[in-house]
């Protein structure tokens, strides 16, 4: 069976695997925000950064991309994703129903936040988020790059996220 992966953050611009198909998609009941402290990829233990994650939020919809993987490639892609996304246990892997832009509804592997995890930081105000993102650097590079790349790519796909747009402006200003 084809495996679908729902991307809403770095998977939008750097999936790290070859997708057979890439389709705009939406996930009902979840909200994207910088609600996870990053101590590996975009920050360190001493100076954590922030990465995007999904919080359950009745009535919300998260817009992103659905990436399809042919059955024969699914095990290796899943292994890759688990190594990348579950490096700390703050993300939970779920299979959730998403709506593709062409009207299909499919199940997709999706990484959502574990709100009980110590790295969970939902509810930080945007000014505080901007200050953290402007400074943090992790194993994959500056936190600013994560924000700018995600915002740029969502923009190119016609997906609007007001909080991300505000953060881009504020972080550009703070980071000079
Ligand atoms: C995603 O992009 O869907 C997962 C979160 C991330 O790696 O940024």
């Amino acid at each position: 069976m084809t495996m679908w992966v729902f991307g809403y953050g770095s998977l939008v611009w750097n999936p790290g695997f070859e997708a057979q198909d890439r389709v705009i998609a939406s996930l009902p009941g979840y909200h994207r925000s910088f609600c996870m402290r990053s101590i590996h990829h975009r920050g360190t233990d001493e100076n954590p950064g922030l990465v995007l994650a999904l919080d359950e939020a009745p009535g919300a919809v998260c817009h992103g991309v659905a990436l399809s993987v042919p059955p024969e490639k699914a095990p290796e892609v899943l292994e890759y994703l688990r190594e990348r996304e579950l490096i700390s246990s703050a993300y939970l892997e779920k299979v959730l129903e998403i709506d593709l832009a062409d009207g299909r509804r499919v199940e997709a592997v999706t990484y959502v936040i574990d709100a009980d995890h110590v790295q969970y930081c939902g509810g930080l105000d945007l000014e505080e988020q901007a200050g953290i993102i402007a400074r943090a650097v992790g194993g994959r590079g500056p936190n600013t790059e994560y924000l700018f790349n995600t915002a740029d790519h969502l923009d190119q796909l016609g997906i609007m996220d007001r909080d991300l747009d505000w953060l881009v402006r504020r972080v550009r200003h703070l980071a000079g």
Side-chain angles (χ1 to χ4, degrees):
M1 215 170 89
T2 296
M3 178 175 84
W4 288 91
V5 178
F6 182 67
Y8 56 88
S10 67
L11 291 175
V12 174
W13 49 274
N14 178 26
F17 61 90
E18 203 180 323
Q20 193 173 41
D21 228 343
R22 186 168 177 268
V23 188
I24 295 201
S26 54
L27 168 66
Y30 284 85
H31 171 66
R32 164 182 36 226
S33 71
F34 279 98
C35 63
M36 179 174 154
R37 290 197 195 275
S38 173
I39 56 172
H40 297 287
H41 293 329
R42 299 292 170 177
T44 59
D45 273 324
E46 298 72 41
N47 193 14
L50 292 174
V51 288
L52 293 163
L54 295 176
D55 250 331
E56 251 181 280
V61 180
C62 175
H63 300 281
V65 292
L67 307 162
S68 73
V69 181
E72 66 279 9
K73 290 274 168 59
E76 94 190 46
V77 168
L78 203 50
E79 195 183 322
Y80 163 76
L81 286 172
R82 286 178 175 160
E83 202 169 304
R84 163 176 163 163
E85 300 294 335
L86 305 180
I87 184 168
S88 63
S89 47
Y91 281 123
L92 299 174
E93 183 182 280
K94 292 208 172 181
V95 176
L96 299 171
E97 283 197 335
I98 60 170
D99 296 306
L100 305 185
D102 60 16
R104 279 177 292 167
R105 173 166 278 205
V106 298
E107 291 193 326
V109 173
T110 308
Y111 293 92
V112 307
I113 193 79
D114 173 1
D116 291 326
H117 196 276
V118 58
Q119 281 168 256
Y120 176 67
C121 60
L124 291 181
D125 69 36
L126 287 177
E127 189 62 51
E128 199 174 341
Q129 293 177 29
I132 295 170
I133 294 168
R135 284 189 313 268
V137 181
R140 283 179 183 255
N143 208 169
T144 50
E145 182 190 70
Y146 178 97
L147 167 67
F148 296 156
N149 275 340
T150 305
D152 270 2
H153 282 76
L154 290 177
D155 205 43
Q156 280 165 29
L157 294 168
I159 298 172
M160 207 169 88
D161 186 315
R162 289 214 169 103
D163 286 354
L164 287 195
D165 290 346
W166 188 91
L167 283 168
V168 166
R169 284 197 302 275
R170 188 70 186 134
V171 168
R172 280 200 202 287
H173 175 77
L174 292 175

